[in-house]
Amino acid sequence: MWDPDFAKVHNVAVTRPSHDAWGIKKVVLIFCDDFLQKVYHLPYWHSPTANTGVAGRPTFKSLLSPVLSTLGLPSDARVVRMLLASLPPGVTIPTHHDTGSWVSKSHRVHVPVITEPGEVLFRCGGGAQHEMRRVDCTEGRIFEMNNQAKHAVSNCWSKHRVHLILDYVDDPSIIKTRRLLPPGETLLQTRRSIDVASDYGSTRIPSYLIIGAQKSGTTTLFTYINQHPLAVPGRRRETHFFDWRWPEHIPDVAGQRSHYCKYFQAEELRRHPSIITGESTPSYLLHSTPCIKRVKSVCPWAALIATLRNPVDRAWSHYRMVTSDDGTPAQKKVRGEAWRGRTFAEVVEAELSAPHVKRLLDDDTEEALEAYLETCPMGTGSHSLVARGLYELQLRPWLREFGRDRILIVKVEDMKRGGMQPTMDRVFEHLGLPAFEVKDEGAKNARGGRDDMPKDVKERLEKVYERFDKKLFEV
């Protein structure tokens, strides 16, 4: 049973990098990922023939039921990890503490099975090494330890020291799924996730789209999402796949999906379906006419996020970005040249005087928006300074086609006022990710504040947006 090659056939091989490096042998019975999304019951635990090949022999589940009963556990429903660990002679596990979301939610229990208390030094507790105390490891003694605290063990004995180690939770409802694994199944592990090889390709790519609005915190939000250990960025943050990079030459949906997957780490995601990915193209919100139809066709499952910001501040930041001298040649090309050499006031006046913008502001209808979009160029940022701030009108077709529960609306002002964590709690829940504490690092890709904005232009834009902002509150 201790032979890893035997376990690959009759049980399921589990990688534990640190323990494997120390030469610790293991018999794994139950195992979970770091976020308690998946708890796996391995064949040695539930199959009467897995560990011996002989029918009628007792399972580890039946043999260890007295240990569970002693802990007040009538069944294995609250157990998230259980294994036998064999520490070789002369090996020391250095001082460390366990990490991972599951650690703070579970109880760690040890049961010495084969040991010599006078020759095996197990120390635990305290914030410093000198504060750690020796633990009584008499054979058969069941004890709980705090594995979030520093602990270390040295086997000075001439034989392998064997402990049963198990972790259980108080509330089994926090476990998302439990699964019995057949002998020989292959686990595909990352540092924080565990998937099975037979689930290859079950993930749907991408899991989410940040659709806009431009200059409204989309880069910041995308960055914070990818702090989560179960999220990875794509090869491009802004793919523009559904607007100006749409592959007109590919007529079928399967081909379009295959082409779209090239923007993501598709093969790794197929191997690890617990991991999600997404993109952030802020022009999708405005260009609803082509984008909605294409998104519904290619990735109708994707969760959608719209980030909004005070529309006056958004317009000023937009102008600052487009007319900035920084950036790569490619970035400058995409920004366009139409506003260069013109003041903010001149750009605002030109937009508000344009007939198609006047109709948009007067009619406030989706028909007017569609007519307006026909005048907008693709692939350049030098347009729609005013229109991109008409959030309710832009959201209207998206909400109608996808439903309110599919679109999470996030406001930049909420991120600033309450910090990132409350916002990210909502975002992670919307994406189906377990809770995770982000490192608040401030805004990304930010450009100046409203103090630099010409006062008269600011007041004019506030009057323009006043009616539209009232409608937005209803959303």
Side-chain angles (χ1 to χ4, degrees), residues 3 21 30 42 77 87 112 126 220 239 272 293 304 349 367 460:
D3 183 358
I30 299 175
L42 278 65
L87 183 66
T220 296
T239 73
H272 302 282
K293 180 180 178 181
L304 305 178
E349 176 60 32
E367 292 74 20
R460 185 179 185 189

Side-chain angles (χ1 to χ4, degrees), residues 350-370:
E351 289 231 349
L352 293 177
S353 300
H356 50 276
V357 176
K358 284 185 175 181
R359 179 190 171 189
L360 191 63
L361 296 175
D362 292 340
D363 290 0
D364 186 22
T365 62
E366 290 183 46
E367 292 74 20
L369 178 60
E370 289 185 17

Side-chain angles (χ1 to χ4, degrees), residues 1 9-11 28-29 41-63 76 180-184:
M1 287 190 304
V9 176
H10 299 279
N11 198 39
V28 184
L29 307 174
H41 289 205
L42 278 65
Y44 279 176
W45 176 249
H46 65 78
S47 172
T49 61
N51 58 341
T52 62
V54 179
R57 295 287 180 89
T59 63
F60 271 109
K61 185 174 182 177
S62 61
L63 290 172
D76 57 16
L180 300 181
L181 297 183

Side-chain angles (χ1 to χ4, degrees), residues 7-39:
K8 287 180 182 179
V9 176
H10 299 279
N11 198 39
V12 175
V14 175
T15 299
R16 303 188 76 204
S18 296
H19 283 214
D20 295 344
W22 293 321
I24 300 173
K25 295 181 178 181
K26 57 188 179 295
V27 173
V28 184
L29 307 174
I30 299 175
F31 211 68
C32 69
D33 62 33
D34 268 26
F35 289 96
L36 299 175
Q37 298 290 283
K38 300 174 182 178
V39 175

